[in-house]
Amino acid sequence: AADLGKIYASASGGWGTYQFKIGNGSYQSSGLFTGLSAGTYRVYVKDIKGCTVFADVNVVDDGNDAYEGTGGNKNNTKGKAVQIALGVNIAARIATTGDPADWYKFTTTAAGNYTVNFTHPSASFVFNLFTSGSTTPIVTQPGSTATAKIYNLNAATTYFISVTGGPSYVCYSLSAAPTLVTRMNTDLIVKENKLTIDKLNAYVFPNPHRGAFGIKIESVQDGTAIIEIMNSAGQMISEKRIPVNKGGVSIVNFTNMRHSILFYRVIIGNEVRTGKIIGPN
């Protein structure tokens, strides 16, 4: 993931051709060893008569990666953020305490939800998204997790990602891409001339609304439907629970809803449907 170290060993004074290895590894004809982390390596060389010598080689890691310059200071401020492409995973790291942050930027295409994904196997990192002129992180959307944050963004706009934490010589993975939208239409199966519901379906009407709306639920199982309403900051503002029947249709009404943007989530067993509600403001 990062620009790891290399050792190139050569030999002379022996018999015939030479073979090389590092530590307890296997011998090879080439004296080039790549992908090495920082540390001390014992390099062995032997000739065709089995004569063997070794030398200890120290590989130093300065903490740089493909997105940093000499000294690890290329992208450690917002003004030096590195452009990344949408939908492409990058691997980078914050390997030293002298590297306070990594900064990246990407430019949206269409308006809508985008997901910033970040993973690391062990160290504790924090990542956030900013507009060009603000030091306050953008609020995430419902459905966000600790490693996948969803944001509602404008079209043709550049946004900035900050990564702090670590340090760790192990690379983290980072990407930004349009959020995959779950299809809200009912999946239908025609069987024996009967129309049956194959998956949970939920939708809002009217949408946009003028302060009151209903959520129509078509269930594929008996049980309890949990209906959650969240504001644009992801805070729960209403929750209702109703009994539902397999193949039945239920309508849940909400009033005094003056928010310009709301989100809903309908849960029945393992089935989940979500969506956006546009209000009067």
Side-chain angles (χ1 to χ4, degrees):
D3 294 330
L4 298 178
K6 300 177 183 179
I7 293 176
Y8 183 77
S10 61
S12 62
W15 291 88
T17 58
Y18 301 95
Q19 290 187 306
F20 307 84
K21 74 171 185 175
I22 289 181
N24 295 322
S26 301
Y27 278 104
Q28 62 184 44
S29 59
S30 171
L32 177 62
F33 300 91
T34 61
L36 304 176
S37 300
T40 300
Y41 296 85
R42 178 155 290 184
V43 182
Y44 294 86
V45 57
K46 70 176 180 178
D47 63 13
I48 60 174
K49 291 191 174 184
C51 295
T52 303
V53 294
F54 66 83
D56 291 330
V57 179
N58 188 36
V59 175
V60 178
D61 191 337
D62 62 4
N64 286 351
D65 58 39
Y67 302 91
E68 295 172 342
T70 303
N73 62 0
K74 178 179 179 181
N75 66 333
N76 62 6
T77 65
K78 189 177 184 180
K80 297 179 180 179
V82 175
Q83 185 81 29
I84 61 174
L86 289 175
V88 177
N89 282 309
I90 69 165
R93 58 191 183 155
I94 298 178
T96 66
T97 56
D99 189 6
D102 282 351
W103 282 89
Y104 305 92
K105 60 185 178 180
F106 65 91
T107 303
T108 57
T109 51
N113 283 354
Y114 288 75
T115 301
V116 178
N117 289 287
F118 183 96
T119 57
H120 189 279
S122 59
S124 177
F125 287 90
V126 175
F127 69 104
N128 285 295
L129 190 67
F130 299 83
T131 60
S132 60
S134 175
T135 58
T136 302
I138 299 174
V139 176
T140 58
Q141 298 296 303
S144 296
T145 67
T147 59
K149 295 182 180 180
I150 303 171
Y151 301 92
N152 189 259
L153 305 180
N154 296 324
T157 305
T158 298
Y159 294 90
F160 295 78
I161 306 169
S162 74
V163 179
T164 58
S168 173
Y169 282 107
V170 178
C171 288
Y172 57 76
S173 176
L174 174 70
S175 67
T179 303
L180 294 176
V181 179
T182 302
R183 190 163 52 88
M184 296 302 296
N185 294 332
T186 306
D187 292 318
L188 302 174
I189 295 177
V190 178
K191 185 176 181 180
E192 296 178 355
N193 297 322
K194 294 181 180 180
L195 194 62
T196 61
I197 301 171
D198 183 51
K199 290 186 178 180
L200 168 64
N201 184 44
Y203 58 90
V204 174
F205 66 94
N207 192 12
H209 64 88
R210 296 183 177 273
F213 56 84
I215 298 181
K216 184 177 180 180
I217 303 169
E218 298 171 338
S219 179
V220 293
Q221 57 185 293
D222 296 326
T224 299
I226 304 171
I227 304 97
E228 301 172 340
I229 305 296
M230 285 81 64
N231 62 20
S232 59
Q235 300 168 324
M236 184 89 67
I237 64 170
S238 181
E239 178 185 284
K240 294 186 179 182
R241 295 170 181 257
I242 64 166
V244 294
N245 298 317
K246 182 177 181 179
V249 176
S250 303
I251 296 177
V252 184
N253 293 310
F254 293 84
T255 58
N256 297 320
M257 294 290 177
R258 308 304 302 179
H259 298 75
S260 58
I261 297 294
L262 292 171
F263 297 87
Y264 70 88
R265 178 164 54 221
V266 177
I267 306 168
I268 304 176
N270 293 326
E271 295 277 344
V272 180
R273 286 293 181 270
T274 60
K276 185 176 182 179
I277 308 169
I278 300 175
N281 297 328

